[in-house]
Amino acid sequence: MPEPEKRGDKFTWTYALWLLPFLAQNWLYWVRPQWDWWTIDLIVWVLMLIAIAGSISVNLALRRRRRLTSLLTAPLLLLVLLRILATAGITTDNVRFALTKQTYLAEIERADLSGGEPRFRTFVWDDTFLEKTYSTLVYDESEEIALPNGEQSKAWQQRVQKLCSEKKECLDLNPGPGEYASIRKIGEHFYILDDSLPNAVP
């Protein structure tokens, strides 16, 4: 004789929604960059762990196998959804860039002192971890930033050094041992430079 279904024991995808607050800081950081997102993220993480641990305990005690399975597979469902969105070009960086691109272009136009040279500017993209910029938006009209490290022209290197010395907007494409830097294109002449996280730890 089959075991009767326990009350409230059913498969549900809604547990995936519990993880959305944890992901929200990646989408909302640039809206309110002055907030302490590192602390907010830590608080959300702790509350989420408490909620998940509590739900697992309750479902174990009531022997709700379907709900427990739903809870344990919720992260996988969310990861699959995020992967599908990323494949379609919908990522936090892409959405943010689409909404703020004109602001950056306007600032580049206002500060254009290139004298006919390809324009080059950097902007802080993410510095939520202990005020360390480990993700930088780079505007490079010459597109030389996309070349393998060391193949940039002397004129490009001089532009980068000048920007670093005059505006303190420094760019390091040659990280030290155990560190890395990756560059990905996000728009016409726009790139995101991701520095290795070890540099963010004091």
Side-chain angles (χ1 to χ4, degrees):
M1 185 174 180
E3 183 180 348
E5 183 177 331
K6 293 180 176 60
R7 186 178 179 185
D9 187 19
K10 58 183 178 180
F11 290 107
T12 176
W13 58 270
T14 55
Y15 283 123
L17 298 177
W18 290 19
L19 302 174
L20 293 182
F22 181 66
L23 299 174
Q25 68 101 8
N26 292 326
W27 292 84
L28 299 176
Y29 151 74
W30 59 276
V31 178
R32 290 286 186 270
Q34 69 274 19
W35 290 0
D36 185 357
W37 284 102
W38 191 86
T39 302
I40 293 171
D41 197 32
L42 179 63
I43 292 170
V44 170
W45 174 253
V46 170
L47 292 177
M48 186 180 69
L49 286 181
I50 292 172
I52 290 174
S55 183
I56 288 174
S57 300
V58 169
N59 286 318
L60 278 174
L62 297 176
R63 297 181 181 179
R64 295 175 176 169
R65 296 176 188 161
R66 293 181 182 88
R67 292 185 73 87
L68 188 59
T69 301
S70 298
L71 180 61
L72 295 177
T73 57
L76 180 60
L77 292 174
L78 193 59
L79 286 175
V80 169
L81 176 60
L82 291 175
R83 183 62 184 169
I84 292 172
L85 290 174
T87 302
I90 303 173
T91 65
T92 55
D93 286 333
N94 288 341
V95 171
R96 174 183 174 185
F97 181 70
L99 294 173
T100 58
K101 177 182 177 181
Q102 294 306 318
T103 303
Y104 292 117
L105 287 173
E107 187 170 338
I108 291 167
E109 289 295 332
R110 283 196 304 270
D112 184 12
L113 301 174
S114 61
E117 294 183 350
R119 292 177 292 183
F120 186 92
R121 280 296 308 274
T122 65
F123 305 91
V124 172
W125 192 251
D126 191 351
D127 61 352
T128 58
F129 194 86
L130 300 179
E131 298 184 355
K132 162 70 173 66
T133 299
Y134 59 91
S135 196
T136 305
L137 181 68
V138 181
Y139 180 84
D140 183 9
E141 265 187 345
S142 71
E143 306 278 353
E144 288 191 54
I145 192 172
L147 296 175
N149 189 26
E151 293 188 13
Q152 290 80 14
S153 66
K154 287 186 178 180
W156 185 89
Q157 294 174 13
Q158 289 172 354
R159 286 195 297 273
V160 172
Q161 291 173 359
K162 182 179 180 182
L163 188 68
C164 182
S165 61
E166 292 182 357
K167 298 189 176 182
K168 307 304 179 186
E169 296 180 15
C170 302
L171 207 63
D172 186 7
L173 299 181
N174 190 22
E179 301 173 355
Y180 70 91
S182 64
I183 299 168
R184 52 198 164 94
K185 190 167 187 174
I186 196 171
E188 186 178 5
H189 304 314
F190 280 99
Y191 297 83
I192 290 181
L193 169 67
D194 289 314
D195 298 337
S196 56
L197 195 57
N199 275 342
V201 181

